[in-house]
């Protein structure tokens, strides 16, 4: 256990302590204690920057299940560090914000901070682990913590719905991912990501490459809310706003991005990887931005914009993976995409965090998040309005904020795609920048809509529940202000992070492309010149966005704008209901509660499986059996036997039924005599006699047998099944008999016959077997009889009435 | 003779199955009893019904004694089971007032 291991596990340890702090230090808001941890961790992770920026990576080993290749190895390189800083940094800000957002008196703070710390630890585990199984374990903990946080107000039906939905979808993805990881283990024989990257050529050449890739991507796409798995994210907005800001914008939804970035070294360079990720990203980007325009809820807009921005980052990672095809790091053509992805990842975390917090403030101070009720808050809440303006301008991609830079780089990256000349890009490549541009227009549109609807226009307090709307307390504003300041700072001085954070992260995403000692060229510029197409694309976005906003009145009442719910929710809801109803229906039709039906299932199954086996192996193979001769009187006995048995189902008189049954029993005894089994004959005679007495005793107390009218259809089914069953048993026995003769093994009974006298001192071989050679059988059989006796006695003697007989 | 007895056992199984599928509890119990007979005969058959003397030392060449021991055990167990099910049927009728399996169905849970 090194300090780094403790750093990953520290949130879990803190989570254990929270309930005690909450219980015994009621006067102080529990959040203040929690705040210390992410702050300390953030500073601790900052101390890694000098080492990672010089291209060094830190690996600390810790054995967990070494026999299975599962080890808790923590690995810090540029990418892990970037995420760790995001998690702890934004974590600290979110905790600070939550202290003012959640009331000490009304809320169950112990639950909140336990879940939040659990999440933070799990997230650190995901980004810092080197072992795939350990990543999976932490991955699922983030799913669980996320669901717990979404259902934090568990008395609300919508919270539960959102939590369940996110749980089902992300756990589905998590399990697929586990399968993908297992396939990777099958291919390469290791769970270590570094070793997998070192053996990327083996993975690439394997036939399991595509299944492993798709399964892993399912995990990444469900977690990162990629199309069509994005539907859980808008419903996760039922969580308290600090949670939405932290989990559902800055950290957890980026776990999928992290996984894709991390495994680019393993899968990158394959056309399938390129196309799946690029297309998924672009579709998510477009769908998210179009859906965001339709939302009326502030957090709904932000949720879909998160989906859209995640799609943007994903598509950049997809196009950037072509670097592995060329194995060339100097070419800015495709490295721009990876650079843009990393830069936008940071930018999105800053502006989306601040926007969520601003939306939370609006909600907190006015009591609603519905943009149809809000308006004119600019003069009432100037600070919140400024924060929102900065965040939205950055998100829309306007200068001088950081979103502008990453959006420009995004467009550059998408334009570069057309020049790759691989993976059929020469034919289809031109579509990619067009889609990206359309999505940018909608992004711009929902950003203006959100700002104008919330902060501009007329203030109408009659629509609001809260009477005296005012600016939020300063404590609540600190975190969004810090984030907004970062938005501006990163926008004005983008190269601040270039070689300390971004370059090491790029090097970690694209390992093995650079020769040792080399660095990627990271220089982010504001101005590309008038001839750069990106500039004209941005101008086009602004112009078209403004036009669409100006004509807002015209399309305000269209079905497109009025509808809010994502279409894919219907698929989920119907699918879920269908699954429940379908399984209920399936249970209902087969679990009838009728004994006869279950007998029919069993017999049918046995018949089918025996028939198939015999057909498959050409049985019954009855050849040249060595049969014993049939004495003439046996024919007679058997004829009587068959006659007595066959009439049984037709008898409706109780006494006649008993007689027919006992006749068959006595004939069995007779057959035993004929087969030279005196002990059997004796026992059978005795027992048959006792059975007849028993039957007589019981029948006296039973109702008269009535002639049962069976529907002819059922009668036919019964007949077919019983004849089929009898036939199968006959054929099976004949086959077994003939196979036994074919094998020609001698019976072990020769030993008994020869040694009954010498070893056991008895003449009757059967009895010697029963009490000497195989005495255990007899002992337990005696036990069976004893138990039967006890059962019969207790059945007759013990009587409970009414509620007692449960 | 083995073929003949096997076919006889098959007939017994057919009748027993037919009885197991009927509505009345008593017929089901009788069905199980007949199924037991069929099983015993099959054990006998599969060890070959060669002519020989009874399995007693000094009588000459005896038939196979092992299946006889197995059947003897089985007869006793079969009897115990039949006795218990008969008493159970009797008690069921006393308490619930029917021996029709259709009427003994539980209420569906959902």
């Amino acid at each position: 256990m090194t300090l780094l291991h403790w750093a990953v596990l520290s949130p879990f340890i803190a989570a254990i302590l929270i309930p005690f702090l909450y219980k015994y230090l009621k006067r102080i808001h529990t959040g203040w204690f929690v705040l210390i941890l992410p702050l300390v961790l953030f500073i601790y992770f900052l101390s890694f920057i000098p080492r990672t920026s010089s291209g060094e990576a830190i690996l600390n080993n810790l054995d967990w299940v070494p026999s299975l290749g599962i080890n808790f190895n923590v690995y810090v390189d540029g990418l892990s560090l970037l995420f760790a800083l995001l998690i702890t940094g934004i974590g600290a800000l979110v905790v600070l914000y939550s202290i003012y957002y959640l009331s000490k008196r009304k809320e169950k703070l112990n639950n909140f901070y336990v879940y939040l710390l659990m999440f933070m630890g799990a997230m650190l585990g995901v980004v810092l682990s080197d072992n795939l199984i350990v990543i999976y374990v932490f991955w699922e903990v983030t799913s669980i913590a996320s669901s717990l946080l979404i259902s934090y107000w568990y008395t609300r039906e919508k919270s539960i719905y959102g939590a369940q939905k996110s749980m089902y979808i992300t756990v589905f993805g998590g399990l697929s991912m586990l399968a993908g990881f297992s396939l990777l283990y099958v291919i390469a024989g290791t769970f270590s990501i570094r070793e997998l990257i070192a053996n990327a050529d083996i993975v690439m050449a394997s036939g399991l490459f595509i299944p492993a890739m798709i399964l892993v991507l399912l995990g990444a796409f469900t977690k990162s809310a990629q199309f069509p798995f994005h539907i859980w994210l808008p419903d996760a907005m039922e969580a308290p706003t600090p949670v939405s800001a932290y989990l559902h914008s800055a950290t957890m939804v980026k776990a999928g991005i992290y996984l894709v970035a991390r495994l680019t070294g393993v899968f990158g360079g394959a056309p399938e990887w390129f196309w799946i990720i690029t297309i998924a990203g672009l579709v998510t980007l477009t769908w998210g931005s179009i859906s965001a325009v339709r939302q009326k809820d502030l957090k709904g807009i932000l949720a879909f914009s998160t989906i859209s921005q995640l799609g943007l980052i994903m598509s950049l990672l997809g196009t950037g993976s072509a670097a592995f095809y060329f194995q060339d790091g100097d070419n800015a053509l495709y490295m721009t995409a990876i650079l843009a992805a990393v830069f936008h990842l940071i930018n999105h975390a800053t502006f989306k965090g601040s926007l969520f917090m601003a939306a939370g403030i609006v909600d907190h101070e006015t009591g609603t998040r519905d943009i149809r009720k809000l308006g004119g808050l600019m003069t009432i809440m100037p600070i919140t309005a400024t924060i929102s303006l900065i965040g939205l301008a950055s998100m829309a991609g306007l200068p001088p904020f950081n979103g502008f830079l990453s959006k420009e780089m995004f467009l550059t990256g998408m334009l570069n795609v057309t020049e790759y000349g691989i993976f059929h890009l020469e034919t289809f490549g031109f579509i990619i920048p067009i889609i990206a541009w359309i999505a940018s227009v909608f992004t711009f549109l929902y950003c203006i809509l959100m700002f104008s609807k919330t902060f501009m226009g007329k203030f109408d307090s009659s629509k609001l529940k809260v009477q005296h709307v005012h600016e939020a307390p300063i404590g609540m504003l600190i975190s969004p202000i810090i984030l907004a300041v970062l938005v501006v700072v990163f926008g004005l001085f983008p190269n601040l992070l270039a070689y300390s954070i971004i370059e090491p992260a790029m090097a970690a995403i694209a390992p093995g492309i650079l020769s040792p000692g080399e660095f990627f060229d990271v220089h982010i510029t504001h101005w590309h010149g008038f001839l750069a197409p990106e500039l004209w694309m941005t101008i086009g976005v602004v112009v078209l966005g403004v036009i669409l906003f100006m004509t807002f009145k015209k399309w305000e009442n269209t079905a497109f704008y009025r509808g809010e719910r994502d279409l894919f929710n219907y698929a989920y809801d119907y699918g879920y209901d269908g699954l429940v109803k379908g399984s209920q229906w399936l249970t209902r039709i087969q679990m009838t509660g009728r004994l006869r039906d279950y007998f029919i299932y069993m017999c049918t199954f046995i018949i089918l499986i025996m028939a198939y086996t015999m057909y498959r192996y050409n049985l019954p193979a009855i050849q040249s059996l060595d049969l014993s001769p049939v004495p003439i009187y046996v024919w007679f006995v058997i004829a009587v036997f068959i006659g007595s048995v066959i009439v049984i189902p037709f008898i409706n008189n109780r006494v006649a039924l008993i007689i027919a049954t006992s006749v068959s029993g006595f004939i069995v005894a007779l057959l035993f005599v004929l087969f030279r089994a005196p002990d059997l004959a004796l026992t059978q005679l005795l027992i048959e006699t006792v059975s007849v007495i028993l039957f007589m005793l019981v029948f006296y107390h039973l109702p008269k047998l009535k002639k049962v009218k069976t529907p002819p259809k059922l009668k036919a089914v019964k007949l077919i099944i019983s004849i089929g069953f009898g036939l199968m048993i006959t054929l099976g026995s004949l086959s077994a008999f003939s196979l036994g003769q074919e094998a020609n093994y001698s019976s072990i009974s020769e030993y008994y016959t020869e040694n009954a006298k010498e070893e056991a001192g008895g003449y009757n071989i059967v009895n010697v077997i029963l009490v000497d050679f195989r005495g255990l059988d007899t002992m337990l059989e005696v036990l069976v009889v004893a138990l039967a006796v006890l059962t019969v006695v207790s059945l007759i003697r013990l009587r409970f009435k009414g509620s007692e007989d449960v | 003779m083995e073929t003949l007895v096997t076919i006889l056992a098959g007939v017994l199984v057919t009748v027993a199955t037919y009885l197991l599928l009927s509505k009345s509890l008593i017929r089901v119990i009788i069905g199980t009893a007949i199924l037991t007979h069929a099983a015993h005969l099959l054990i006998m058959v599969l060890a070959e019904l060669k002519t020989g003397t009874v399995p007693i030392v000094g009588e000459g060449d005896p038939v196979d004694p092992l299946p006889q021991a197995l059947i003897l055990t089985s007869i006793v167990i079969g009897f115990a089971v039949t006795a218990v099910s008969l008493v159970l049927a009797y008690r069921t009728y006393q308490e619930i007032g029917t021996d029709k399996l259709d009427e003994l169905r539980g209420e569906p849970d959902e």
Side-chain angles (χ1 to χ4, degrees):
Chain A
M1 292 286 273
T2 58
L3 196 56
L4 209 49
H5 287 105
W6 285 112
V8 172
L9 295 178
S10 60
F12 293 104
I13 298 162
I16 296 171
L17 299 175
I18 291 301
F20 299 101
L21 290 172
Y22 176 73
K23 199 171 175 197
Y24 296 109
L25 291 165
K26 280 234 172 219
R27 290 178 54 207
I28 308 166
H29 195 289
T30 318
W32 292 112
F33 302 110
V34 180
L35 185 58
I36 303 164
L37 183 74
L39 273 179
V40 170
L41 286 175
F42 184 68
I43 293 162
Y44 172 66
F45 283 119
L46 278 180
S47 72
F48 282 95
I49 288 183
R51 296 171 73 183
T52 53
S53 58
S54 63
E56 199 189 332
I58 298 110
L59 176 71
N60 290 331
N61 293 322
L62 177 68
D63 283 356
W64 185 14
V65 195
S67 55
L68 296 175
I70 300 169
N71 296 307
F72 185 21
N73 296 346
V74 284
Y75 182 71
V76 183
D77 62 359
L79 187 65
S80 306
L81 190 66
L82 165 64
F83 273 90
L85 287 173
L86 280 179
I87 292 159
T88 50
I90 297 190
L93 295 175
V94 161
V95 170
L96 178 65
Y97 176 78
S98 72
I99 292 171
Y100 291 94
Y101 189 86
L102 294 172
S103 153
K104 180 167 71 174
R105 272 164 292 140
K106 286 184 218 150
E107 305 285 357
K108 291 192 179 73
L109 291 175
N110 52 343
N111 292 354
F112 183 79
Y113 288 111
V114 167
Y115 303 157
L116 200 72
L117 283 171
M118 209 168 111
F119 170 77
M120 193 185 287
M123 207 55 213
L124 282 175
V126 167
V127 299
L128 291 172
S129 300
D130 177 54
N131 194 287
L132 289 174
I133 296 297
V134 177
I135 288 185
Y136 170 73
V137 170
F138 283 121
W139 185 277
E140 293 295 35
V141 177
T142 64
S143 292
I144 293 164
S146 164
S147 290
L148 287 170
L149 283 166
I150 295 168
S151 60
Y152 174 65
W153 288 308
Y154 53 81
T155 45
R156 299 181 190 172
E157 205 174 312
K158 276 181 131 182
S159 300
I160 299 294
Y161 173 77
Q164 274 186 337
K165 194 177 192 176
S166 76
M167 186 79 164
Y168 292 147
I169 293 177
T170 54
V171 168
F172 158 72
L175 288 174
S176 315
M177 198 178 80
L178 180 63
F181 288 169
S182 310
L183 286 183
L184 282 178
Y185 185 79
V186 170
I187 299 168
T190 176
F191 282 125
S192 160
I193 294 177
R194 283 171 313 113
E195 285 170 29
L196 278 170
I197 289 173
N199 295 322
D201 46 337
I202 301 176
V203 178
M204 192 80 89
S206 163
L208 294 172
F209 176 76
I210 300 286
M213 185 182 90
I214 288 171
L215 287 169
V216 170
L217 279 181
L218 267 178
F221 285 175
T222 48
K223 200 72 161 186
S224 280
Q226 297 295 298
F227 186 89
F229 306 112
H230 63 280
I231 48 170
W232 66 267
L233 189 61
D235 285 306
M237 292 300 128
E238 295 303 323
T241 303
V243 172
S244 310
Y246 188 37
L247 274 70
H248 307 127
S249 71
T251 53
M252 186 178 92
V253 286
K254 294 205 172 106
I257 302 270
Y258 169 79
L259 195 74
V260 169
R262 184 51 94 192
L263 293 178
T264 301
V266 182
F267 295 109
E272 294 86 359
W273 179 263
F274 177 93
W275 278 113
I276 293 176
I277 297 179
T278 308
I279 291 173
L282 284 172
V283 172
T284 313
L285 167 66
T286 319
W287 185 264
S289 61
I290 292 174
S291 304
V293 175
R294 292 148 40 105
Q295 301 301 306
K296 314 292 182 294
D297 176 83
L298 284 179
K299 279 173 90 177
I301 300 175
L302 291 174
F304 276 104
S305 93
T306 303
I307 292 168
S308 152
Q309 305 279 317
L310 290 170
L312 186 151
I313 300 173
M314 201 62 102
S315 66
L316 283 169
L317 286 174
T319 51
S321 74
F324 281 85
Y325 181 83
F326 294 110
Q327 290 291 328
D328 178 8
D330 293 329
N331 197 331
L333 207 58
Y334 33 80
M335 285 318 287
T336 311
I338 295 182
L339 169 62
V342 175
F343 193 42
H344 196 71
L345 186 79
I346 302 168
N347 295 343
H348 178 250
T350 54
F351 67 67
K352 193 51 67 66
S354 70
L355 283 173
F356 264 110
M357 290 178 188
I361 290 171
V362 171
D363 185 17
H364 204 267
E365 300 305 326
T366 62
T368 183
R369 298 194 310 248
D370 193 326
I371 55 170
R372 286 164 298 196
K373 293 182 188 160
L374 294 167
L377 290 175
M378 205 184 320
T379 48
I380 301 167
M381 307 171 81
I383 303 173
T384 314
T386 314
I387 294 164
S388 299
L389 183 63
I390 293 170
L392 288 168
S394 178
M395 186 153 76
L398 296 179
F401 304 107
N402 58 8
F404 169 69
L405 300 165
S406 46
K407 186 63 76 67
E408 292 282 279
M409 280 190 281
F410 164 66
L411 293 173
T412 313
M414 291 295 135
L415 283 169
N416 287 347
V417 167
T418 53
E419 292 170 36
Y420 284 2
I422 49 165
F423 309 151
H424 301 290
L425 280 170
E426 59 278 7
T427 11
F428 302 110
F430 73 95
I431 306 168
I432 293 176
I434 295 175
I435 296 174
W437 185 78
I438 293 169
S440 301
V441 173
F442 279 99
T443 307
F444 187 82
L445 183 61
Y446 70 70
C447 288
I448 333 182
L449 273 176
M450 183 169 163
F451 186 76
S452 66
K453 289 269 172 186
T454 316
F455 296 103
M456 305 207 302
K458 252 173 58 187
F459 179 66
D460 185 2
S461 64
S462 64
K463 288 183 191 165
L464 302 176
K465 274 182 271 175
V466 180
Q467 289 311 311
H468 302 286
V469 179
H470 52 78
E471 184 60 277
I474 185 68
M476 212 184 229
L477 287 166
I478 297 172
S479 301
I481 287 173
I482 292 173
L483 286 171
V485 167
L486 285 177
V487 169
V488 178
V489 170
F490 292 162
L492 294 177
F493 311 104
N495 293 312
L496 211 61
L497 299 174
Y499 285 96
S500 53
I501 304 274
I502 297 175
E503 200 281 334
M506 284 170 71
I509 294 173
I513 292 210
L514 288 176
S515 41
E518 260 188 317
F519 287 99
F520 288 111
D521 174 34
V522 181
H523 191 71
I524 303 161
T525 48
H526 287 262
W527 184 248
H528 302 284
F530 274 116
L531 290 174
E534 297 90 331
L535 177 70
W536 296 103
M537 282 169 88
T538 306
I539 292 172
V541 165
V542 175
V543 170
L544 198 63
V546 170
I547 291 172
L548 277 171
F549 177 65
M550 292 299 187
T551 54
F552 176 66
K553 284 262 179 300
K554 295 220 172 102
W555 51 270
E556 194 176 18
N557 287 321
T558 53
F560 163 74
Y561 183 69
R562 297 179 77 85
E564 209 176 332
R565 216 167 141 66
D566 200 292
L567 291 173
F568 288 87
N569 280 317
Y570 296 107
Y572 169 83
D573 288 340
Y574 284 124
Y576 183 82
D577 283 353
L579 203 64
V580 172
K581 289 208 180 100
S583 48
Q584 278 174 349
W585 170 79
L586 202 64
T587 311
R588 219 169 26 244
I589 58 159
Q590 48 148 346
M591 305 298 279
T592 54
R594 237 184 251 123
L595 193 59
R596 184 202 300 140
D597 292 340
Y598 303 146
F599 273 140
I600 289 177
Y601 302 153
M602 284 191 278
C603 294
T604 314
F605 184 74
I606 295 171
I607 291 168
L608 289 179
I609 206 150
M610 284 186 78
Y612 174 75
T613 313
M614 287 185 205
Y615 167 75
R616 175 79 179 66
Y617 296 98
N618 295 325
L619 288 172
I622 306 158
Q623 306 132 345
S624 61
L625 291 177
D626 185 12
L627 299 171
S628 335
V630 186
I632 193 79
Y633 51 87
V634 172
W635 284 107
F636 176 71
V637 174
I638 284 176
V640 174
F641 197 173
I642 289 178
S644 78
V645 163
I646 268 194
V647 294
I648 290 178
F650 304 101
I651 297 172
N652 288 314
N653 182 298
R654 286 185 294 175
V655 179
L657 189 62
I658 297 167
I659 291 170
T661 312
S662 50
V663 165
S664 62
F666 287 121
I667 295 178
V668 171
L670 187 56
L671 282 174
F672 286 149
V673 172
L674 297 176
F675 299 151
R676 294 167 200 82
D679 302 287
L680 290 189
L682 195 65
T683 319
Q684 180 69 31
L685 271 175
L686 260 171
I687 280 192
E688 202 52 46
T689 315
V690 179
S691 296
V692 172
I693 296 168
L694 249 176
F695 270 104
M696 284 299 199
L697 273 173
V698 171
F699 270 38
Y700 180 74
H701 297 280
L702 285 181
K704 284 212 165 70
L705 283 168
K706 281 191 198 104
K707 198 169 179 211
V708 192
K709 273 196 187 128
T710 327
K713 217 169 152 189
L714 181 65
K715 215 167 198 169
V717 170
K718 279 167 73 176
L719 254 176
I720 290 167
I721 284 177
S722 37
I723 290 172
F725 198 55
L727 198 67
M728 284 306 138
I729 297 291
T730 315
L731 291 176
S733 311
L734 283 175
S735 313
F737 182 68
S738 78
L739 284 175
Q741 284 203 328
E742 231 172 85
N744 201 23
Y745 292 124
S746 58
S747 168
I748 53 162
S749 300
E750 279 163 32
Y751 172 82
Y752 295 135
T753 316
E754 282 159 19
N755 293 297
K757 175 75 179 67
E758 285 74 25
E759 299 275 332
Y763 291 91
N764 186 329
I765 305 168
V766 174
N767 290 8
V768 165
I769 290 174
L770 281 173
V771 298
D772 194 312
F773 291 123
R774 299 176 58 89
L776 267 180
D777 287 358
T778 314
M779 189 180 82
L780 295 174
E781 162 200 346
V782 170
L783 185 69
V784 169
V785 176
L787 282 176
V789 169
L790 286 174
T791 314
V792 168
V793 169
S794 44
L795 269 173
I796 291 174
R797 292 292 296 276
L798 299 178
R799 305 274 161 121
F800 298 107
K801 285 279 170 219
S803 59
E804 277 177 278
D805 81 336
V806 177
Chain B
M1 187 147 76
E2 282 86 350
T3 326
L4 188 65
V5 178
T6 310
I7 291 166
L8 170 68
V11 173
L12 289 184
V13 170
T14 307
V15 173
T17 314
Y18 193 85
L19 287 170
L20 283 178
L21 295 173
S22 58
K23 275 185 187 165
S24 156
L25 202 50
I26 288 308
R27 287 186 204 269
V28 172
I29 295 169
I30 289 174
T32 56
I34 292 174
L35 204 57
T36 317
H37 293 325
H40 294 163
L41 288 177
L42 281 176
I43 297 175
M44 209 77 204
V45 168
L46 289 180
E48 298 184 15
L49 300 169
K50 284 276 158 54
T51 40
T53 60
V54 288
I56 288 177
V57 179
E59 292 281 321
D61 183 24
V63 294
D64 198 336
L66 190 57
Q68 297 196 8
L70 297 181
I71 294 169
L72 197 60
T73 312
S74 168
I75 290 175
V76 176
I77 292 172
F79 170 70
V81 172
T82 310
V84 169
S85 32
L86 269 174
V87 174
L88 202 58
Y90 157 68
R91 288 286 293 129
T92 308
Y93 181 68
Q94 263 196 336
E95 292 288 328
I96 300 170
T98 179
D99 72 329
K100 297 281 171 286
L101 284 170
D102 283 5
E103 291 163 27
L104 290 172
R105 276 168 75 183
E107 289 297 313
D109 293 331
E110 270 181 299

